[in-house]
Amino acid sequence: MGGRHMVRGTEERVFQIVVAAVLSLCGLAALFPLLYVLSVSLTPFSEVLRNGGFILIPRSITFDAYRKLLTESNVPQAFGVTAFITVVGTLLNLAVTSLMAYPLSRKQLPGRNLFLMLIVFTLLFSGGIIPTYLVVKSLGLLDSVWSMILPNMVWSFNVLIMKSFYETLPEELFESARMDGAKEFRILARIVLPLSVPVTLTIGLFYAVGHWNEFFQAIMYVTDRELFPLQVIVREILIQTQQPLENAENMTPTETLQMASVILASLPIIVVYPFLQKHFTKGMLLGSVKG
Amino acid sequence: MLLPGALYFIVFRYFPMYGVVIAFKDYSFNDGILGSYWADPWNKHFLTFIHSPYFGQLLTNTLLISVYKLLFGMLPPILMALLLNECRIRWFKSLVQTLTYMPHFLSWVIIYGIVLALLSQNSGLVNHWIEEAGGQSIPFLTSTTYFRSLLVSSEIWQNLGWGAIIYLAAMAGIDPTLYEAARVDGASRLRMIWHITLPGIRSVIVMLLILRLGHMLDAGFEQIYIMYNIQVYPVADILDTWVFRTGLQQLNFSLASAVGLFKAAIGLVLVLVSNRIAKRWGEGIW
Amino acid sequence: MIRTPRMFRLMAVMLLASGLTTACGSNEGDSSDAPASGSGPSPSAPSDSASPSADSGKVVKLDIIETGNNLPPPDKDFIKRELDKALHTDISLTVYASGDDYKNQLNVRMASGNFPDLFMVPDRSTLKQYVQQGLLLDLSPYKDQLKAAVDFVGEDSLKKTSFDGKVYAIPKAPNIPYNTYWIRKDWLDKLGLQPPQTIDELLSTAVAFTEQDPDGNGKKDTIGLTGSKLSAFAPVFGAFGVGNPGDFYLSGGKLMNSLYEPGMKDALAFINKMIASGSVDPELMANTGLQHQEKAIKGQAGIVWIDWPNLSKDQFTEQIEKVNPNAEWIQLAPPKGPGGQNDGSFDIGGSPGIYAIPKALEKNEEKLRKVFDLLNYVSTKDGSNLVQFGVQGRHFNLEGDKVVPTDLMAQEAGFTWLYQFTGRPEKSYLQVKFEKQASFIDFADKQPRIQTLNGFLMTPDGYNAADANRYIEEETVKFAYGKRPLSEYDAFLSTLETSMNYKSFLDSAFQQLKELGYGN
């Protein structure tokens, strides 16, 4: 970090140029298709067709598709639902996941390997949709927002990741804390979590994106349209062009509308990311927590 | 501390686990999973797919596509993370990081639309260029030659930035004093990457690799289902797409469950073996 | 560490905000604006519909699920409102855009005993499974109570949903065919050609469209024929007197499978000739969804096999015109060939939808009666008009017996089909809803077609239709693309019969059809 004062300037400069060049290529590779999605969402569809279907820079801009989505559909309502399950769900996820990951990261936990194996096992094996539906039903969760949060409260994958990050924390920290008489909860809250901001945010992001993209549980457990999250609506729009004509009077959504729905449905979660990024790069100085 | 999580796993993961027995039963709605009759013979549903004339092809395709995705897909996000980690221009780093993260939010339907716009034989941009340059247009989508490459590369593209996130988080956890010390010793950038950064994220790499091996027989149903067509079936049809098509004809709980069990059992073996190997180097999940 | 509290505060704010959003949303929902409720005569009381129960005013909740899309929220759903008013019900309809999602949902509900009161059965195989497992109510004893609905769909249609002489579901009233070849009239004119009348002319026209720059842009960037998969050649198969590969039908009073007709080989040989000429969309087999339609609208292809809505509805004619004001699409009668003239095939065993009632409802007489009332109501004049056209006085007016649409019909009543549980009188319905397209509807309906019977068939145990269908499609495509010589056609059939178990399916299929009175 901050190696400005370094003497070997040329080598550093060459290195930086190479890095920047490769990154630019990657960025461009990602940018072009996205630009296409954005441009199509802003261009009247007949214009898109006239251009043979490919547009990178829109020549005539229309916000019709967005207006239509925001006023004539359930999108605003669904946005609320999605925001709720994302925020509440992620907070719950993080709480439970770190509570699990911390003890599992301690080698002295009795039966640790068994627990870990049991967790890995659920990554591979599952009971299938019927028994899971029966559980959700018997808990009285059908047709409630919680049916989109609780059944996926902990992802095995995320527990394992978090646990492996916690493992890298030096054991001495915990020993000295215990010596000072700190309880395990206190150690988790005061030592482990502050030292693990990058991974907590990363796992939080994984969960949040998972919730944001949630549609399967909604479709399975929710029949009340008022509770449908955003992705169910987007899926409804996207899927219509994939299926054979169901009914003559059905209005097929144009590609402009499809792309607009994609943009609307992913932009909010995308803009969260840049805000998280700076926390990833902060190298955690062990000394900083001691004070 | 483990209690809330354990409760979750018991209620939502382990309790429904009895459902796997339908792989060995003839499912009846009225009798429920436990009450349904045992299939006769017990492995009837397993035989259904093992006896399919396409079984060999399905398994080969599944494994090949999965292995390709693992071989070619594992490294790019790591490299991406390394590059981002080395990049000193803040805004640029943030920009690239965000840009490459975005494709993750495009569903395969949309990505296929983009692929068509680029690679379609009559209207795709790439074929347009090829023809302008006097070449022959290339049937990217309908030729068995290109299809798997298309699957692998589009997945790498989609996953590049997203996959890098976890490594970036791991890099953020590396003790900066190590770099300071190396710098004092006059180590070059590349040496620091090799001796500090990579070892620092080794355990994450190993763990992801082990978990990935557990899903060896998942070659990416949604992607393939959306992108394939009859002309590329011989190289693209996988276990999951087959189960899906077969299931369209009949209620498929038992068959789907049998195939799922088959996949998971192989995955379990791979996880156990690879974890044991990893342990020799002091890594591994448990 | 200093950062974390701020993060939490931020999240708390977001949480609050989201809570507020949802709250506002539902408030809006409650204060329904009810624009249409006052206007127009309300649909008559249930007594003068065919329903026998002009009983108490107790509101019964009905839970209905099906596939579909674009259902408005309940407060804007005027069909629900009118039906509820007429029948004293509280109908809760849930629609699923994806057929797979729907199947999952239906299955878990069946498995958990959380039965809907009325639901769409995705296909005949599912129907069979549900029947075998005793999940569906046998409707035969209730035929009298369902008289209006049965009359509406036609007693004969019940064949499609009967097992061992018992009726387990109501199929929607039958469809009419929509598909034809469409061709660019302006391209024909430009090249001085007449609409092709034979398959040879079809081929030469397609070649001309590819080679002779019909759009006059100086580039060889057009294709002759497009469509979705092998079905793009349906009229070509028809011209050889055969159905699409694998179709069952009566040919000269005898039950036939198209693969076993001599005409099939000739048809494949001709298709091979078309493909070899380079005038067919090279990505024909990869065209899914509406990709072929898009190619047509973009002006890339001059002939397309497609249904009339997707090329002649206002939404699309507008697009066509914007892309090229001179573009003019016309329908093409099926080209003649050695086996006659058939615009592909049309499945008379198919139904646009099948609706069943769970057996569990047997015990809940009140609900059952309401479901019957609903089915009858949407099958008799007032109710049928409602679910076809919308609210009388707002979306349409009656002049004698003639339905005259208002402007609002096109704007607001696009979703009413979701409530057509027994279907609709297809042709007259379409002629009203699509006045401008009336001639296209009529044209498509009138073309001669091979009447196939596939819809009546169920697959026997031990036969994996997915494998066999893949093999049939894969190999016919190889024949068509010249990747496998037609001299191997018999080898193909014998592999199909043995490895793919097609023989057992053939035997079972002929047996089933004979039992239904087809062939002898």
Side-chain angles (χ1 to χ4, degrees):
Chain A
M1 307 267 123
R4 283 272 158 75
H5 60 278
M6 284 202 22
V7 209
R8 293 186 321 264
T10 15
E11 193 197 318
E12 173 71 15
R13 212 171 302 134
V14 171
F15 184 80
Q16 280 300 319
I17 288 170
V18 172
V19 167
V22 179
L23 283 179
S24 306
L25 276 180
C26 293
L28 284 180
L31 177 69
F32 273 117
L34 294 164
L35 205 58
Y36 164 74
V37 173
L38 184 68
S39 302
V40 171
S41 83
L42 290 171
T43 308
F45 188 56
S46 44
E47 193 68 25
V48 178
L49 286 170
R50 189 157 35 186
N51 278 282
F54 200 88
I55 283 191
L56 270 188
I57 309 296
R59 248 162 295 173
S60 53
I61 284 186
T62 167
F63 290 96
D64 279 357
Y66 291 93
R67 197 174 305 131
K68 196 169 150 64
L69 283 171
L70 288 172
T71 56
E72 289 174 31
S73 71
N74 282 357
V75 165
Q77 167 96 11
F79 188 83
V81 175
T82 295
F84 180 83
I85 57 174
T86 303
V87 174
V88 175
T90 305
L91 291 178
L92 277 172
N93 292 142
L94 280 179
V96 180
T97 305
S98 40
L99 278 175
M100 272 193 101
Y102 171 57
L104 288 173
S105 70
R106 300 295 101 203
K107 298 244 155 60
Q108 58 272 43
L109 178 79
R112 175 175 177 269
N113 281 0
L114 179 69
F115 278 123
L116 286 171
M117 256 150 109
L118 284 174
I119 289 174
V120 172
F121 194 76
T122 61
L123 265 179
L124 303 170
F125 293 89
S126 86
I129 55 172
I130 292 179
T132 315
Y133 182 87
L134 291 174
V135 169
V136 174
K137 184 179 171 233
S138 63
L139 292 175
L141 295 177
L142 288 184
D143 256 328
S144 95
V145 274
W146 299 106
S147 69
M148 294 177 265
I149 294 176
L150 295 181
N152 257 342
M153 194 86 128
V154 186
W155 297 3
S156 312
F157 179 81
N158 286 354
V159 177
L160 296 172
I161 301 271
M162 214 175 222
K163 161 240 149 202
S164 95
F165 274 78
Y166 289 173
E167 272 171 1
T168 59
L169 298 174
E171 188 63 37
E172 308 89 67
L173 266 177
F174 302 108
E175 271 160 25
S176 62
R178 275 187 207 110
M179 226 100 86
D180 294 345
K183 292 274 180 333
E184 296 295 331
F185 277 106
R186 205 180 151 74
I187 298 177
L188 175 62
R190 286 297 159 88
I191 299 178
V192 177
L193 284 180
L195 279 175
S196 312
V197 174
V199 70
T200 310
L201 289 180
T202 303
I203 299 294
L205 181 69
F206 287 175
Y207 276 126
V209 168
H211 286 303
W212 191 269
N213 288 337
E214 162 58 36
F215 73 89
F216 184 74
Q217 296 179 86
I219 283 166
M220 292 307 284
Y221 307 135
V222 174
T223 51
D224 180 0
R225 289 183 74 79
E226 309 254 302
L227 286 179
F228 277 164
L230 210 46
Q231 300 295 345
V232 173
I233 315 261
V234 174
R235 191 174 149 84
E236 198 171 293
I237 292 170
L238 291 188
I239 228 155
Q240 284 179 48
T241 46
Q242 293 299 303
Q243 291 185 334
L245 181 82
E246 186 151 5
N247 214 289
E249 58 261 59
N250 227 18
M251 283 295 262
T252 319
T254 61
E255 211 177 319
T256 302
L257 193 74
Q258 290 177 46
M259 296 307 189
S261 73
V262 170
I263 298 273
L264 266 188
S266 43
L267 207 60
I269 191 83
I270 286 176
V271 297
V272 171
Y273 187 50
F275 293 104
L276 297 182
Q277 279 164 13
K278 56 181 175 205
H279 299 281
F280 289 5
T281 46
K282 290 238 165 72
M284 279 294 129
L285 278 175
L286 294 184
S288 70
V289 274
K290 290 199 175 134
Chain B
M1 266 190 185
L2 279 173
L3 196 67
L7 201 64
Y8 163 79
F9 272 93
I10 290 167
V11 173
F12 284 103
R13 293 302 176 91
Y14 275 95
F15 177 71
M17 206 62 98
Y18 68 88
V20 298
V21 300
I22 61 172
F24 306 98
K25 291 191 162 195
D26 286 326
Y27 182 68
S28 143
F29 283 100
N30 286 327
D31 303 325
I33 289 168
L34 296 178
S36 296
Y37 291 109
W38 293 102
D40 177 36
W42 65 274
N43 57 355
K44 178 168 114 182
H45 304 296
F46 292 87
L47 293 178
T48 309
F49 75 94
I50 289 170
H51 286 168
S52 161
Y54 292 111
F55 178 68
Q57 190 188 72
L58 296 171
L59 200 60
T60 317
N61 285 342
T62 310
L63 279 171
L64 274 181
I65 294 171
S66 190
V67 168
Y68 288 153
K69 281 184 176 175
L70 180 64
L71 276 182
F72 298 104
M74 192 81 192
L75 212 52
I78 299 178
L79 290 176
M80 186 75 198
L82 286 174
L83 289 171
L84 286 170
N85 197 47
E86 295 300 328
C87 181
R88 290 285 160 270
I89 314 161
R90 266 280 178 83
W91 66 268
F92 181 68
K93 174 185 169 178
S94 180
L95 179 73
V96 173
Q97 206 174 338
T98 310
L99 277 177
T100 52
Y101 152 93
M102 294 202 297
H104 178 77
F105 293 91
L106 299 181
S107 62
W108 284 111
V109 177
I110 298 291
I111 296 181
Y112 187 55
I114 297 170
V115 167
L116 278 180
L118 288 174
L119 300 180
S120 161
Q121 210 172 338
N122 19 48
S123 56
L125 209 56
V126 172
N127 272 317
H128 193 68
W129 290 333
I130 293 177
E131 277 175 355
E132 299 265 285
Q136 270 281 319
S137 67
I138 297 171
F140 290 107
L141 301 165
T142 52
S143 150
T144 48
T145 323
Y146 302 99
F147 196 73
R148 283 185 191 139
S149 316
L150 186 65
L151 289 177
V152 175
S153 49
S154 58
E155 179 156 306
I156 291 175
W157 176 76
Q158 192 206 26
N159 197 40
L160 189 61
W162 177 255
I165 294 177
I166 184 117
Y167 300 114
L168 283 169
M171 288 171 193
I174 296 172
D175 185 353
T177 52
L178 294 175
Y179 291 103
E180 295 292 343
R183 213 168 283 137
V184 172
D185 291 347
S188 71
R189 281 273 179 207
L190 290 176
R191 276 185 74 84
M192 284 195 267
I193 291 177
W194 188 253
H195 288 289
I196 303 173
T197 315
L198 280 177
I201 62 171
R202 191 175 71 170
S203 60
V204 176
I205 297 178
V206 170
M207 192 171 86
L208 291 183
L209 187 63
I210 294 174
L211 294 178
R212 180 70 187 78
L213 285 172
H215 291 284
M216 205 59 212
L217 291 185
D218 291 327
F221 168 75
E222 217 196 318
Q223 180 197 24
I224 295 176
Y225 182 68
I226 283 169
M227 299 194 11
Y228 78 166
N229 60 70
I230 192 78
Q231 284 169 305
V232 295
Y233 271 27
V235 295
D237 201 11
I238 56 169
L239 282 172
D240 291 338
T241 47
W242 178 83
V243 169
F244 181 83
R245 289 201 315 275
T246 306
L248 283 180
Q249 259 84 37
Q250 53 209 256
L251 289 182
N252 61 332
F253 296 121
S254 293
L255 182 66
S257 178
V259 174
L261 217 52
F262 172 81
K263 282 164 44 184
I266 290 179
L268 187 64
V269 171
L270 287 172
V271 167
L272 290 174
V273 170
S274 57
N275 193 59
R276 170 143 305 177
I277 295 172
K279 261 179 151 169
R280 286 205 198 136
W281 299 317
E283 300 285 355
I285 298 176
W286 62 82
Chain C
M1 190 52 220
I2 317 143
R3 288 248 117 84
T4 332
R6 205 201 284 166
M7 274 301 294
F8 275 98
R9 225 178 305 146
L10 179 73
M11 285 192 157
V13 170
M14 280 170 73
L15 179 68
L16 262 172
S18 72
L20 287 175
T21 331
T22 24
C24 292
S26 45
N27 276 344
E28 249 166 275
D30 292 336
S31 62
S32 110
D33 42 355
S37 56
S39 58
S42 65
S44 37
S47 49
D48 80 34
S49 80
S51 62
S53 64
D55 57 355
S56 66
K58 195 182 162 218
V59 171
V60 178
K61 198 168 161 32
L62 292 184
D63 183 10
I64 305 171
I65 60 173
E66 62 180 3
T67 57
N69 41 50
N70 293 324
L71 179 69
D75 58 309
K76 297 207 180 100
D77 185 347
F78 51 86
I79 302 288
K80 170 188 155 56
R81 193 164 53 226
E82 297 297 336
L83 285 174
D84 285 349
K85 206 163 20 166
L87 301 167
H88 298 289
T89 49
D90 175 14
I91 293 174
S92 151
L93 177 67
T94 311
V95 299
Y96 293 83
S98 141
D100 309 326
D101 294 346
Y102 177 71
K103 257 189 170 181
N104 276 335
Q105 170 73 198
L106 186 60
N107 283 330
V108 291
R109 291 190 66 168
M110 288 306 198
S112 65
N114 184 13
F115 302 110
D117 301 313
L118 179 70
F119 58 92
M120 197 193 88
V121 183
D123 47 57
R124 223 172 118 84
S125 312
T126 312
L127 183 68
K128 177 184 156 197
Q129 309 251 359
Y130 285 177
V131 168
Q132 282 171 345
Q133 307 214 0
L135 290 167
L136 305 183
L137 184 65
D138 172 11
L139 299 175
S140 328
Y142 302 98
K143 262 193 190 165
D144 295 343
Q145 296 180 46
L146 276 167
K147 188 161 183 318
V150 171
D151 288 349
F152 187 77
V153 303
E155 178 87 38
D156 206 40
S157 289
L158 297 181
K159 249 194 229 174
K160 298 172 189 170
T161 51
S162 298
F163 294 89
D164 300 325
K166 292 177 181 163
V167 182
Y168 286 97
I170 307 272
K172 279 188 178 182
N175 244 335
I176 55 171
Y178 289 180
N179 275 57
T180 56
Y181 272 145
W182 288 76
I183 191 166
R184 279 286 287 267
K185 174 82 169 34
D186 54 318
W187 284 14
L188 286 172
D189 293 346
K190 172 145 198 300
L191 303 180
L193 298 167
Q194 288 300 310
Q197 297 193 347
T198 65
I199 49 171
D200 291 315
E201 286 173 23
L202 178 74
L203 172 57
S204 61
T205 309
V207 171
F209 279 176
T210 314
E211 307 285 340
Q212 298 176 23
D213 190 24
D215 60 357
N217 68 352
K219 284 188 226 154
K220 198 183 150 234
D221 58 356
T222 48
I223 41 182
L225 172 70
T226 190
S228 182
K229 316 230 160 69
L230 221 45
S231 76
F233 299 107
V236 176
F237 285 114
F240 286 90
V242 300
N244 289 330
D247 279 352
F248 288 87
Y249 45 88
L250 286 172
S251 176
K254 248 188 81 163
L255 277 175
M256 280 308 292
N257 175 296
S258 65
L259 292 172
Y260 291 83
E261 291 231 64
M264 177 55 75
K265 250 169 103 166
D266 301 335
L268 288 171
F270 187 81
I271 291 168
N272 176 228
K273 206 163 108 188
M274 291 185 75
I275 290 172
S277 77
S279 62
V280 176
D281 182 356
E283 274 157 6
L284 192 69
M285 294 300 154
N287 284 345
T288 52
L290 287 176
Q291 281 159 29
H292 55 306
Q293 180 224 30
E294 221 172 87
K295 286 176 184 175
I297 295 179
K298 280 186 208 159
Q300 292 173 341
I303 310 170
V304 60
W305 171 252
I306 201 166
D307 51 274
W308 59 263
N310 271 319
L311 215 52
S312 72
K313 271 166 63 174
D314 298 352
Q315 182 190 3
F316 302 120
T317 47
E318 230 169 82
Q319 290 173 9
I320 292 169
E321 203 192 308
K322 287 231 176 93
V323 174
N324 179 354
N326 298 323
E328 186 190 356
W329 286 96
I330 56 166
Q331 282 167 303
L332 192 62
K336 292 188 202 73
Q341 186 186 20
N342 288 295
D343 223 359
S345 49
F346 183 70
D347 195 342
I348 57 168
S351 165
I354 309 171
Y355 286 79
I357 299 168
K359 189 165 171 56
L361 217 60
E362 203 172 23
K363 294 175 211 114
N364 189 342
E365 224 172 287
E366 194 186 20
K367 254 194 184 183
L368 186 59
R369 197 130 43 87
K370 285 293 183 195
V371 175
F372 289 166
D373 284 354
L374 174 65
L375 289 173
N376 285 328
Y377 186 64
V378 298
S379 308
T380 37
K381 193 162 163 261
D382 289 334
S384 183
N385 275 345
L386 173 68
V387 296
Q388 286 185 67
F389 309 115
V391 179
Q392 190 177 347
R394 181 173 172 86
H395 303 114
F396 70 95
N397 291 301
L398 279 181
E399 285 174 13
D401 256 357
K402 197 170 172 294
V403 176
V404 181
T406 66
D407 290 345
L408 282 177
M409 184 194 280
Q411 278 172 41
E412 292 180 354
F415 72 94
T416 63
W417 62 276
L418 295 168
Y419 286 95
Q420 295 162 355
F421 303 117
T422 52
R424 64 226 185 172
E426 185 78 6
K427 199 158 173 181
S428 63
Y429 169 76
L430 292 174
Q431 306 267 15
V432 172
K433 276 221 158 159
F434 298 96
E435 252 180 322
K436 277 190 230 161
Q437 289 77 15
S439 65
F440 303 131
I441 298 168
D442 194 49
F443 185 92
D445 184 37
K446 280 203 180 121
Q447 299 313 310
R449 293 177 204 254
I450 295 172
Q451 300 207 317
T452 58
L453 307 167
N454 310 336
F456 289 115
L457 296 174
M458 279 164 308
T459 52
D461 294 332
Y463 165 70
N464 185 342
D467 282 350
N469 290 344
R470 171 181 163 179
Y471 188 68
I472 293 172
E473 197 184 349
E474 222 169 12
E475 299 309 303
T476 44
V477 166
K478 278 188 199 158
F479 290 130
Y481 277 75
K483 301 250 167 78
R484 187 174 178 181
L486 268 166
S487 55
E488 289 178 22
Y489 189 82
D490 292 335
F492 150 68
L493 282 185
S494 79
T495 313
L496 181 64
E497 283 175 15
T498 51
S499 303
M500 302 292 160
N501 219 357
Y502 202 63
K503 188 91 185 85
S504 76
F505 175 57
L506 278 180
D507 294 343
S508 157
F510 286 140
Q511 183 67 31
Q512 290 177 51
L513 291 173
K514 269 177 196 149
E515 278 165 17
L516 287 170
Y518 294 101
N520 31 38

